[in-house]
Amino acid sequence: GAVVSQHPSRVICKSGTSVKIECRSLDFQATTMFWYRQFPKQSLMLMATSNEGSKATYEQGVEKDKFLINHASLTLSTLTVTSAHPEDSSFYICSAGTGGGTDTQYFGPGTRLTVL
Amino acid sequence: AQSVSQHNHHVILSEAASLELGCNYSYGGTVNLFWYVQYPGQHLQLLLKYFSGDPLVKGIKGFEAEFIKSKFSFNLRKPSVQWSDTAEYFCAVTITGGGNKLTFGTGTQLKVEL
């Protein structure tokens, strides 16, 4: 099946710093990638849709200037958490699909961000 | 906007027991339906999906789900669970023309005891 990787798997940073998370589709080209946030014991909440070659579209309530998304190629999307604060600590998960009406998304293993 | 509800938050079963996890969605149009599983410490994996056709869908590891349009439901079933089925199960939907954005239910934590 399709494989999606994320890097890093775990990151700890100081408050005020920025953190970049990479999401890669390893064996397929992903025209669309999605970024989710998962709080402990809760479901995944969609943050934004990353479109290759165009601007990301953000869900309501998600600050686009805080969560910068770049989809530079058909296999790579990055999420940068700028000026991170402790409340940004969470589990960030990406998914990737090949597009189309009957698309199936494949999920990365997630990145655990801890902001001190 | 569409939403997904999973009625059971925690389920505990003994091995060989039958499983049924409820999933209901609210949306008046055409939907695509998914069940994902997240084993402890692992990433989300697709169990099965429904786009069209036969409303009874068979997935991996002996799981199946039935789409009942009149009830807006997509319940997950397995006749006989194993200890290795201990995981969190998420129901999700996308809507036709919605850009493949998944809306997830809150998840059901399944624990299978020996």
Side-chain angles (χ1 to χ4, degrees), chain A residues 2 102-107, chain B residues 33-39 43-51 57-61 63 74 76 89-92 102 104:
Chain A
T102 57
D103 187 33
T104 296
Q105 293 179 39
Y106 300 91
F107 284 80
Chain B
L33 296 150
F34 306 80
W35 275 97
Y36 283 89
V37 60
Q38 189 172 29
Y39 297 103
H43 61 281
L44 279 165
Q45 300 174 40
L46 181 68
L47 268 182
L48 48 80
K49 60 186 177 183
Y50 171 81
F51 288 122
V57 180
K58 294 191 183 299
I60 61 171
K61 304 186 180 186
F63 286 91
F74 191 57
L76 180 71
Y89 293 80
F90 293 95
C91 182
L102 280 164
F104 282 89

Short mmCIF file of all heavy atoms in Angstrom, two decimals, chain A residues 2 102-107, chain B residues 33-39 43-51 57-61 63 74 76 89-92 102 104:
data_model
loop_
_atom_site.label_atom_id
_atom_site.label_comp_id
_atom_site.label_asym_id
_atom_site.label_seq_id
_atom_site.Cartn_x
_atom_site.Cartn_y
_atom_site.Cartn_z
N ALA A 2 0.20 2.39 -0.13
CA ALA A 2 0.89 3.66 -0.16
C ALA A 2 1.47 4.00 1.21
O ALA A 2 0.85 3.72 2.23
CB ALA A 2 -0.07 4.74 -0.60
N THR A 102 -12.84 9.38 -5.75
CA THR A 102 -12.87 8.21 -4.87
C THR A 102 -11.52 8.01 -4.22
O THR A 102 -11.06 6.90 -4.02
CB THR A 102 -13.27 6.95 -5.66
OG1 THR A 102 -12.33 6.78 -6.74
CG2 THR A 102 -14.67 7.07 -6.20
N ASP A 103 -10.91 9.10 -3.87
CA ASP A 103 -9.57 9.06 -3.31
C ASP A 103 -9.57 8.45 -1.91
O ASP A 103 -10.49 8.68 -1.13
CB ASP A 103 -9.02 10.48 -3.25
CG ASP A 103 -7.58 10.52 -2.84
OD1 ASP A 103 -6.85 9.57 -3.18
OD2 ASP A 103 -7.18 11.47 -2.17
N THR A 104 -8.55 7.70 -1.63
CA THR A 104 -8.31 7.20 -0.28
C THR A 104 -7.08 7.91 0.25
O THR A 104 -6.09 8.06 -0.45
CB THR A 104 -8.07 5.69 -0.29
OG1 THR A 104 -9.25 5.03 -0.72
CG2 THR A 104 -7.71 5.20 1.11
N GLN A 105 -7.16 8.35 1.49
CA GLN A 105 -6.02 9.02 2.09
C GLN A 105 -5.21 8.03 2.91
O GLN A 105 -5.75 7.14 3.56
CB GLN A 105 -6.50 10.15 2.99
CG GLN A 105 -7.15 11.29 2.22
CD GLN A 105 -7.62 12.36 3.16
OE1 GLN A 105 -6.96 12.69 4.14
NE2 GLN A 105 -8.79 12.92 2.87
N TYR A 106 -3.92 8.25 2.88
CA TYR A 106 -2.99 7.43 3.64
C TYR A 106 -2.31 8.33 4.66
O TYR A 106 -1.90 9.44 4.35
CB TYR A 106 -1.98 6.75 2.71
CG TYR A 106 -2.67 5.85 1.72
CD1 TYR A 106 -3.06 6.32 0.48
CD2 TYR A 106 -2.96 4.53 2.06
CE1 TYR A 106 -3.73 5.49 -0.42
CE2 TYR A 106 -3.62 3.69 1.16
CZ TYR A 106 -4.01 4.19 -0.07
OH TYR A 106 -4.67 3.38 -0.96
N PHE A 107 -2.21 7.81 5.87
CA PHE A 107 -1.76 8.65 6.97
C PHE A 107 -0.31 8.42 7.34
O PHE A 107 0.19 7.29 7.29
CB PHE A 107 -2.65 8.40 8.20
CG PHE A 107 -3.99 9.04 8.08
CD1 PHE A 107 -4.99 8.45 7.33
CD2 PHE A 107 -4.24 10.26 8.68
CE1 PHE A 107 -6.23 9.06 7.19
CE2 PHE A 107 -5.47 10.88 8.55
CZ PHE A 107 -6.47 10.28 7.80
N LEU B 33 -17.64 6.72 2.86
CA LEU B 33 -17.52 6.33 4.27
C LEU B 33 -16.29 5.46 4.50
O LEU B 33 -15.94 4.63 3.65
CB LEU B 33 -18.77 5.57 4.71
CG LEU B 33 -20.04 6.43 4.65
CD1 LEU B 33 -21.26 5.59 4.35
CD2 LEU B 33 -20.22 7.17 5.96
N PHE B 34 -15.66 5.66 5.64
CA PHE B 34 -14.41 4.97 5.94
C PHE B 34 -14.40 4.51 7.40
O PHE B 34 -15.01 5.14 8.27
CB PHE B 34 -13.22 5.92 5.75
CG PHE B 34 -13.14 6.57 4.40
CD1 PHE B 34 -13.92 7.68 4.10
CD2 PHE B 34 -12.27 6.08 3.43
CE1 PHE B 34 -13.84 8.29 2.85
CE2 PHE B 34 -12.18 6.69 2.19
CZ PHE B 34 -12.96 7.79 1.91
N TRP B 35 -13.69 3.43 7.63
CA TRP B 35 -13.29 3.06 8.98
C TRP B 35 -11.76 2.95 8.99
O TRP B 35 -11.17 2.27 8.15
CB TRP B 35 -13.88 1.72 9.41
CG TRP B 35 -15.26 1.84 9.98
CD1 TRP B 35 -16.44 1.63 9.34
CD2 TRP B 35 -15.61 2.17 11.32
NE1 TRP B 35 -17.50 1.83 10.19
CE2 TRP B 35 -17.01 2.16 11.43
CE3 TRP B 35 -14.86 2.48 12.47
CZ2 TRP B 35 -17.70 2.44 12.62
CZ3 TRP B 35 -15.53 2.75 13.66
CH2 TRP B 35 -16.94 2.73 13.72
N TYR B 36 -11.18 3.66 9.95
CA TYR B 36 -9.74 3.60 10.16
C TYR B 36 -9.47 2.99 11.54
O TYR B 36 -10.27 3.13 12.47
CB TYR B 36 -9.12 4.99 10.12
CG TYR B 36 -8.95 5.58 8.74
CD1 TYR B 36 -9.97 6.32 8.14
CD2 TYR B 36 -7.76 5.38 8.02
CE1 TYR B 36 -9.80 6.87 6.87
CE2 TYR B 36 -7.59 5.92 6.76
CZ TYR B 36 -8.62 6.67 6.19
OH TYR B 36 -8.44 7.20 4.93
N VAL B 37 -8.33 2.35 11.66
CA VAL B 37 -7.92 1.78 12.94
C VAL B 37 -6.55 2.32 13.32
O VAL B 37 -5.70 2.56 12.45
CB VAL B 37 -7.88 0.23 12.87
CG1 VAL B 37 -6.89 -0.27 11.81
CG2 VAL B 37 -7.54 -0.37 14.23
N GLN B 38 -6.37 2.57 14.60
CA GLN B 38 -5.08 3.04 15.11
C GLN B 38 -4.65 2.11 16.23
O GLN B 38 -5.19 2.17 17.35
CB GLN B 38 -5.21 4.48 15.61
CG GLN B 38 -3.89 5.13 15.95
CD GLN B 38 -4.05 6.62 16.26
OE1 GLN B 38 -5.10 7.07 16.72
NE2 GLN B 38 -3.02 7.39 15.98
N TYR B 39 -3.71 1.22 15.93
CA TYR B 39 -3.18 0.33 16.95
C TYR B 39 -2.26 1.12 17.87
O TYR B 39 -1.71 2.15 17.46
CB TYR B 39 -2.43 -0.84 16.30
CG TYR B 39 -3.34 -1.71 15.47
CD1 TYR B 39 -3.34 -1.63 14.08
CD2 TYR B 39 -4.21 -2.60 16.08
CE1 TYR B 39 -4.18 -2.41 13.32
CE2 TYR B 39 -5.07 -3.40 15.31
CZ TYR B 39 -5.05 -3.29 13.94
OH TYR B 39 -5.90 -4.06 13.18
N HIS B 43 0.31 4.38 13.37
CA HIS B 43 -0.47 5.38 12.67
C HIS B 43 -1.80 4.81 12.19
O HIS B 43 -2.03 3.60 12.23
CB HIS B 43 0.33 5.95 11.49
CG HIS B 43 0.69 4.91 10.46
ND1 HIS B 43 1.72 4.03 10.61
CD2 HIS B 43 0.14 4.62 9.26
CE1 HIS B 43 1.80 3.26 9.56
NE2 HIS B 43 0.86 3.59 8.72
N LEU B 44 -2.66 5.70 11.76
CA LEU B 44 -3.97 5.31 11.25
C LEU B 44 -3.83 4.43 10.01
O LEU B 44 -3.06 4.73 9.11
CB LEU B 44 -4.78 6.54 10.88
CG LEU B 44 -5.48 7.28 12.00
CD1 LEU B 44 -5.92 8.64 11.53
CD2 LEU B 44 -6.67 6.48 12.50
N GLN B 45 -4.61 3.37 10.00
CA GLN B 45 -4.63 2.49 8.84
C GLN B 45 -6.07 2.32 8.38
O GLN B 45 -6.98 2.26 9.19
CB GLN B 45 -4.07 1.11 9.20
CG GLN B 45 -2.64 1.12 9.70
CD GLN B 45 -2.21 -0.25 10.16
OE1 GLN B 45 -2.54 -1.27 9.55
NE2 GLN B 45 -1.47 -0.29 11.26
N LEU B 46 -6.24 2.22 7.08
CA LEU B 46 -7.57 2.04 6.51
C LEU B 46 -8.04 0.60 6.70
O LEU B 46 -7.35 -0.34 6.32
CB LEU B 46 -7.56 2.41 5.03
CG LEU B 46 -8.90 2.30 4.30
CD1 LEU B 46 -9.87 3.35 4.82
CD2 LEU B 46 -8.69 2.45 2.80
N LEU B 47 -9.21 0.44 7.29
CA LEU B 47 -9.81 -0.90 7.44
C LEU B 47 -10.68 -1.23 6.24
O LEU B 47 -10.61 -2.33 5.69
CB LEU B 47 -10.70 -0.93 8.69
CG LEU B 47 -10.12 -1.38 10.02
CD1 LEU B 47 -11.21 -1.36 11.07
CD2 LEU B 47 -9.47 -2.74 9.92
N LEU B 48 -11.53 -0.29 5.89
CA LEU B 48 -12.42 -0.48 4.76
C LEU B 48 -13.02 0.85 4.37
O LEU B 48 -12.94 1.83 5.11
CB LEU B 48 -13.51 -1.52 5.08
CG LEU B 48 -14.27 -1.36 6.41
CD1 LEU B 48 -15.35 -0.32 6.33
CD2 LEU B 48 -14.88 -2.71 6.81
N LYS B 49 -13.64 0.83 3.18
CA LYS B 49 -14.24 2.07 2.68
C LYS B 49 -15.44 1.73 1.82
O LYS B 49 -15.53 0.63 1.26
CB LYS B 49 -13.22 2.87 1.87
CG LYS B 49 -12.68 2.11 0.66
CD LYS B 49 -11.57 2.88 -0.02
CE LYS B 49 -10.99 2.07 -1.19
NZ LYS B 49 -9.86 2.76 -1.84
N TYR B 50 -16.36 2.69 1.74
CA TYR B 50 -17.52 2.54 0.88
C TYR B 50 -17.65 3.80 0.03
O TYR B 50 -17.71 4.92 0.55
CB TYR B 50 -18.79 2.35 1.69
CG TYR B 50 -20.03 2.41 0.83
CD1 TYR B 50 -20.44 1.30 0.09
CD2 TYR B 50 -20.75 3.60 0.69
CE1 TYR B 50 -21.54 1.37 -0.73
CE2 TYR B 50 -21.86 3.67 -0.13
CZ TYR B 50 -22.25 2.55 -0.84
OH TYR B 50 -23.33 2.62 -1.68
N PHE B 51 -17.73 3.59 -1.28
CA PHE B 51 -17.98 4.71 -2.18
C PHE B 51 -19.32 4.54 -2.88
O PHE B 51 -20.09 5.48 -2.99
CB PHE B 51 -16.86 4.83 -3.23
CG PHE B 51 -15.56 5.32 -2.67
CD1 PHE B 51 -14.40 4.57 -2.77
CD2 PHE B 51 -15.49 6.55 -2.03
CE1 PHE B 51 -13.20 5.04 -2.26
CE2 PHE B 51 -14.29 7.02 -1.51
CZ PHE B 51 -13.15 6.26 -1.62
N VAL B 57 -19.62 -3.92 2.90
CA VAL B 57 -18.23 -3.80 2.49
C VAL B 57 -17.35 -4.68 3.36
O VAL B 57 -17.48 -4.65 4.59
CB VAL B 57 -17.76 -2.33 2.61
CG1 VAL B 57 -16.32 -2.20 2.19
CG2 VAL B 57 -18.64 -1.42 1.79
N LYS B 58 -16.49 -5.41 2.75
CA LYS B 58 -15.55 -6.24 3.51
C LYS B 58 -14.17 -5.60 3.47
O LYS B 58 -13.71 -5.13 2.44
CB LYS B 58 -15.50 -7.65 2.93
CG LYS B 58 -16.83 -8.39 3.10
CD LYS B 58 -16.71 -9.86 2.78
CE LYS B 58 -18.09 -10.53 2.90
NZ LYS B 58 -18.63 -10.43 4.26
N GLY B 59 -13.53 -5.59 4.63
CA GLY B 59 -12.22 -4.99 4.73
C GLY B 59 -11.16 -5.99 5.15
O GLY B 59 -11.36 -7.20 5.04
N ILE B 60 -10.07 -5.44 5.65
CA ILE B 60 -8.98 -6.31 6.08
C ILE B 60 -9.26 -6.90 7.45
O ILE B 60 -10.13 -6.42 8.18
CB ILE B 60 -7.65 -5.53 6.11
CG1 ILE B 60 -7.73 -4.37 7.12
CG2 ILE B 60 -7.29 -5.02 4.72
CD1 ILE B 60 -6.40 -3.68 7.36
N LYS B 61 -8.56 -7.99 7.76
CA LYS B 61 -8.58 -8.61 9.08
C LYS B 61 -9.97 -9.07 9.51
O LYS B 61 -10.27 -9.10 10.70
CB LYS B 61 -7.98 -7.66 10.12
CG LYS B 61 -6.57 -7.22 9.75
CD LYS B 61 -5.91 -6.41 10.83
CE LYS B 61 -4.51 -6.01 10.38
NZ LYS B 61 -3.73 -5.32 11.43
N PHE B 63 -12.89 -7.67 9.10
CA PHE B 63 -13.88 -6.64 9.40
C PHE B 63 -14.81 -6.41 8.21
O PHE B 63 -14.42 -6.58 7.06
CB PHE B 63 -13.19 -5.32 9.75
CG PHE B 63 -12.56 -5.32 11.11
CD1 PHE B 63 -11.23 -5.69 11.27
CD2 PHE B 63 -13.29 -4.94 12.22
CE1 PHE B 63 -10.64 -5.70 12.52
CE2 PHE B 63 -12.70 -4.93 13.48
CZ PHE B 63 -11.39 -5.31 13.63
N PHE B 74 -23.16 3.45 9.30
CA PHE B 74 -22.08 2.67 8.67
C PHE B 74 -21.39 1.92 9.81
O PHE B 74 -20.26 2.20 10.17
CB PHE B 74 -21.12 3.59 7.93
CG PHE B 74 -20.12 2.88 7.05
CD1 PHE B 74 -20.53 2.01 6.05
CD2 PHE B 74 -18.75 3.11 7.20
CE1 PHE B 74 -19.62 1.38 5.23
CE2 PHE B 74 -17.82 2.47 6.37
CZ PHE B 74 -18.26 1.61 5.38
N LEU B 76 -19.53 -0.91 11.99
CA LEU B 76 -18.41 -1.84 11.77
C LEU B 76 -18.67 -3.12 12.54
O LEU B 76 -19.10 -3.07 13.71
CB LEU B 76 -17.11 -1.20 12.26
CG LEU B 76 -15.84 -2.04 12.10
CD1 LEU B 76 -15.45 -2.14 10.63
CD2 LEU B 76 -14.70 -1.42 12.91
N TYR B 89 -10.72 2.83 16.98
CA TYR B 89 -11.38 2.75 15.68
C TYR B 89 -12.09 4.07 15.40
O TYR B 89 -12.86 4.57 16.23
CB TYR B 89 -12.37 1.58 15.66
CG TYR B 89 -11.69 0.24 15.75
CD1 TYR B 89 -11.25 -0.26 16.98
CD2 TYR B 89 -11.44 -0.51 14.60
CE1 TYR B 89 -10.58 -1.47 17.06
CE2 TYR B 89 -10.78 -1.72 14.67
CZ TYR B 89 -10.35 -2.19 15.90
OH TYR B 89 -9.69 -3.40 15.97
N PHE B 90 -11.84 4.59 14.21
CA PHE B 90 -12.42 5.86 13.81
C PHE B 90 -13.28 5.68 12.56
O PHE B 90 -12.82 5.13 11.56
CB PHE B 90 -11.34 6.90 13.50
CG PHE B 90 -10.53 7.32 14.70
CD1 PHE B 90 -9.32 6.72 14.98
CD2 PHE B 90 -10.99 8.35 15.52
CE1 PHE B 90 -8.57 7.12 16.07
CE2 PHE B 90 -10.24 8.75 16.61
CZ PHE B 90 -9.03 8.14 16.90
N CYS B 91 -14.49 6.20 12.63
CA CYS B 91 -15.34 6.29 11.46
C CYS B 91 -15.14 7.67 10.84
O CYS B 91 -14.92 8.66 11.57
CB CYS B 91 -16.80 6.11 11.89
SG CYS B 91 -17.99 6.14 10.56
N ALA B 92 -15.18 7.76 9.54
CA ALA B 92 -14.95 9.05 8.88
C ALA B 92 -15.74 9.12 7.59
O ALA B 92 -16.07 8.09 6.99
CB ALA B 92 -13.46 9.26 8.59
N LEU B 102 -11.65 14.66 5.11
CA LEU B 102 -12.24 13.68 6.02
C LEU B 102 -12.77 14.35 7.27
O LEU B 102 -12.07 15.17 7.89
CB LEU B 102 -11.18 12.64 6.43
CG LEU B 102 -10.87 11.52 5.44
CD1 LEU B 102 -9.58 10.84 5.83
CD2 LEU B 102 -12.00 10.50 5.42
N PHE B 104 -13.92 13.15 10.93
CA PHE B 104 -13.81 11.97 11.78
C PHE B 104 -14.82 11.98 12.91
O PHE B 104 -15.20 13.03 13.43
CB PHE B 104 -12.40 11.90 12.41
CG PHE B 104 -11.34 11.41 11.47
CD1 PHE B 104 -10.65 12.30 10.66
CD2 PHE B 104 -11.03 10.06 11.39
CE1 PHE B 104 -9.68 11.85 9.79
CE2 PHE B 104 -10.05 9.61 10.52
CZ PHE B 104 -9.38 10.50 9.72
#
